[in-house]
């Protein structure tokens, strides 16, 4: 053992002498002084030796260990013997790390874009609460209790009862209720556009959610006719979808307008010849509209013999769906950044 230790020391010192670079020095340290080194192994195995030999070998082993440690330190101190390889320098020419910036939701962007177009035509933007009174959501819009048109507008009722024990508050089913409030509070001439969330109590699927977005519009003035409504929609379609986009008006029923129409634009993909996106019809419905019912104006304190009015309600979620070819509305609200980052 003693002889082995001496040999080890000679070898180690000889090798150390030849070392010129820092990495090699580290390797040497691991090899001769590390936890798994031969020397450490030998010191550990001392216990197996007879007492006398253990004493001398132990003392020698420890001394060699100290000597090697001192030799290592001395070798490091010898300037010029060891070349220190510097760590890679900071490269200030590298581009900076990108900072993740947020962006607007595709539906918010669409709503803003639509509002901008109407604002440039003189419409003012009005917003109201998501919770609404039954009165403005239905009654004021010519939809009395038990009216069948309430059927497709079942909603969430707020757990609040008035003095007569009636539940009168709900989550609005359309933004048309904002028009009912505007008619009551603003003197004509009126030009307003009303974006907002609306709610329906219905099963969720690829085209239905319990919450979605609408943009209602209202114009009240002397001498307003259906031609104004059509003119405004032609202009909107031209600005939003591009020149020469045809717009179609067909009869429809909504209790708060008379006559009522459904507005469709020529399909963005096939330009009217029929494709999968438009269900082969060539047209895409974007809004309900019409001439505001005289009863609605009257109830709000506007004389229908003096003023006439047109109104419309645009479904705001369908528009980016059709624009980007998205076939499931739920994707918009899943908060999956991989989806949202594409817009
Ligand atoms: N409020 C209707 C709905 O949610 C849409 C609508 C139709 C709004 C005609 C209007 C309108 O202002 O004139 O189905």
């Amino acid at each position: 053992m003693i002889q082995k230790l001496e040999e080890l020391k000679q070898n180690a010192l000889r090798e150390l002498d030849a070392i010129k670079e820092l990495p090699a020095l580290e390797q040497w340290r691991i090899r001769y002084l590390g936890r798994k080194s031969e020397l450490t192994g030998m010191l550990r195995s001392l216990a197996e030796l007879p007492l006398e030999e253990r004493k001398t070998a132990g003392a020698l082993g420890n001394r060699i260990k100290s000597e090697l440690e001192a030799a290592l330190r001395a070798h490091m101190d010898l300037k010029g013997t060891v070349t220190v390889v510097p760590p890679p320098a900071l490269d200030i020419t590298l581009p900076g790390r990108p900072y993740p910036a947020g962006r607007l939701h595709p539906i918010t962007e669409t709503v803003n874009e639509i509002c901008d177009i109407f604002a440039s035509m003189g419409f003012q933007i009005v917003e109201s609460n998501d919770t609404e009174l039954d009165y403005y959501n239905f009654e004021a819009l010519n939809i009395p209790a038990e009216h069948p048109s309430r059927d497709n507008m079942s909603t969430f009722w707020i757990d609040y009862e008035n003095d007569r024990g009636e539940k009168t508050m709900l989550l609005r089913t359309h933004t048309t209720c904002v028009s009912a409030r505007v008619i009551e509070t603003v003197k004509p001439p009126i030009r307003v556009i009303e974006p907002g969330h609306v709610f329906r109590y219905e099963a969720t699927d690829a085209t239905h959610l319990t919450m979605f977005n609408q943009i209602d519009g209202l114009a009240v003035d002397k001498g307003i006719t259906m031609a104004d409504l059509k003119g405004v929609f032609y202009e909107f379609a031209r600005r939003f979808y591009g020149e020469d986009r045809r717009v179609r008006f067909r009869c429809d029923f909504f209790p708060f307008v008379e006559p009522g129409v459904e507005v469709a634009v020529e399909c963005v993909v096939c330009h009217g010849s029929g494709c999968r996106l438009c269900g082969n019809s060539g047209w895409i419905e974007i809004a309900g509209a019409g001439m505001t019912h005289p009863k609605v104006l009257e109830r709000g304190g506007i004389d229908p013999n003096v003023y006439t009015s047109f109104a419309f309600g645009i479904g705001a979620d369908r528009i980016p769906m059709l624009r980007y070819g998205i076939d499931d509305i739920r994707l918009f609200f899943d908060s999956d950044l991989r989806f949202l980052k594409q817009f």
Side-chain angles (χ1 to χ4, degrees):
M1 171 77 116
I2 291 172
Q3 196 194 337
K4 252 180 147 183
L5 280 167
E6 286 292 353
E7 268 170 25
L8 184 95
K9 178 180 149 187
Q10 297 312 324
N11 287 344
L13 290 177
R14 202 176 331 109
E15 272 179 38
L16 182 63
D17 233 19
I19 289 176
K20 296 269 180 283
E21 285 190 345
L22 206 56
L25 200 60
E26 176 59 9
Q27 272 166 19
W28 182 91
R29 188 193 64 76
I30 294 169
R31 175 131 171 253
Y32 289 104
L33 292 166
R35 272 191 300 121
K36 290 185 186 148
S37 65
E38 203 182 338
L39 179 60
T40 312
M42 282 160 90
L43 288 172
R44 262 196 214 119
S45 65
L46 284 175
E48 292 152 23
L49 298 178
L51 186 63
E52 272 312 305
E53 208 184 333
R54 194 191 314 164
K55 268 192 189 161
T56 35
L60 180 65
N62 281 322
R63 205 176 60 241
I64 289 178
K65 193 174 173 203
S66 313
E67 277 174 27
L68 291 184
E69 279 167 356
L72 174 65
R73 251 177 278 125
H75 197 77
M76 283 208 307
D77 286 346
L78 285 180
K79 288 215 176 70
T81 313
V82 172
T83 328
V84 176
V85 182
L90 175 68
D91 183 354
I92 56 164
T93 63
L94 282 174
R97 294 201 179 100
Y99 189 77
R103 67 185 76 203
L104 290 177
H105 190 277
I107 292 178
T108 310
E109 267 178 0
T110 308
V111 169
N112 289 352
E113 206 178 318
I114 295 173
C115 287
D116 282 351
I117 293 174
F118 282 99
S120 76
M121 288 194 260
F123 286 74
Q124 235 179 318
I125 297 166
V126 177
E127 285 180 304
S128 181
N129 298 335
D130 291 354
T131 44
E132 186 50 283
L133 292 169
D134 176 294
Y135 178 78
Y136 291 104
N137 197 81
F138 294 125
E139 299 275 339
L141 292 170
N142 204 22
I143 314 174
E146 317 304 335
H147 192 283
S149 79
R150 285 195 181 208
D151 284 359
N152 64 358
M153 288 207 184
S154 56
T155 184
F156 302 92
W157 292 83
I158 308 293
D159 207 3
Y160 156 82
E161 286 181 6
N162 67 7
D163 302 343
R164 276 169 285 153
E166 299 159 343
K167 289 215 163 142
T168 52
M169 270 216 260
L170 46 79
L171 291 181
R172 63 184 177 191
T173 60
H174 50 181
T175 42
T176 318
C177 57
V178 188
S179 296
R181 286 179 173 275
V182 167
I183 289 172
E184 208 180 73
T185 45
V186 183
K187 292 247 164 314
I190 299 170
R191 308 269 189 281
V192 286
I193 185 105
E194 302 144 348
H197 294 153
V198 300
F199 306 82
R200 305 259 169 111
Y201 179 66
E202 54 191 8
T204 296
D205 63 27
T207 51
H208 295 89
L209 280 181
T210 49
M211 190 285 296
F212 52 103
N213 293 267
Q214 282 190 345
I215 307 171
D216 258 69
L218 176 78
V220 185
D221 209 341
K222 286 177 183 159
I224 284 209
T225 69
M226 193 80 170
D228 297 305
L229 169 68
K230 291 177 91 174
V232 163
F233 259 96
Y234 287 141
E235 179 60 9
F236 165 69
R238 192 182 68 77
R239 300 262 293 275
F240 191 81
Y241 291 103
E243 297 283 338
D244 302 330
R245 182 72 51 179
R246 287 191 299 159
V247 181
R248 183 185 73 182
F249 294 83
R250 285 206 307 198
C251 287
D252 203 345
F253 172 77
F254 301 98
F256 35 88
V257 284
E258 183 57 41
V261 290
E262 153 225 290
V263 188
V265 289
E266 211 173 55
C267 175
V268 276
V269 170
C270 65
H271 288 259
S273 58
C275 68
R276 203 164 57 98
L277 187 69
C278 58
N280 273 326
S281 70
W283 296 94
I284 289 164
E285 284 170 34
I286 57 160
M291 299 302 291
T292 311
H293 199 290
K295 277 193 187 166
V296 173
L297 293 176
E298 206 164 20
R299 200 190 273 262
I302 292 177
D303 185 350
N305 296 313
V306 180
Y307 292 102
T308 47
S309 156
F310 71 73
F312 58 86
I314 302 173
D317 313 66
R318 265 174 68 82
I319 291 175
M321 284 177 79
L322 295 167
R323 210 182 214 187
Y324 303 118
I326 296 159
D327 56 7
D328 196 327
I329 192 172
R330 291 169 289 196
L331 289 167
F332 281 130
F333 303 100
D334 280 348
S335 300
D336 186 339
L337 288 180
R338 289 169 304 177
F339 170 76
L340 295 172
K341 271 182 176 168
Q342 299 175 76
F343 306 101

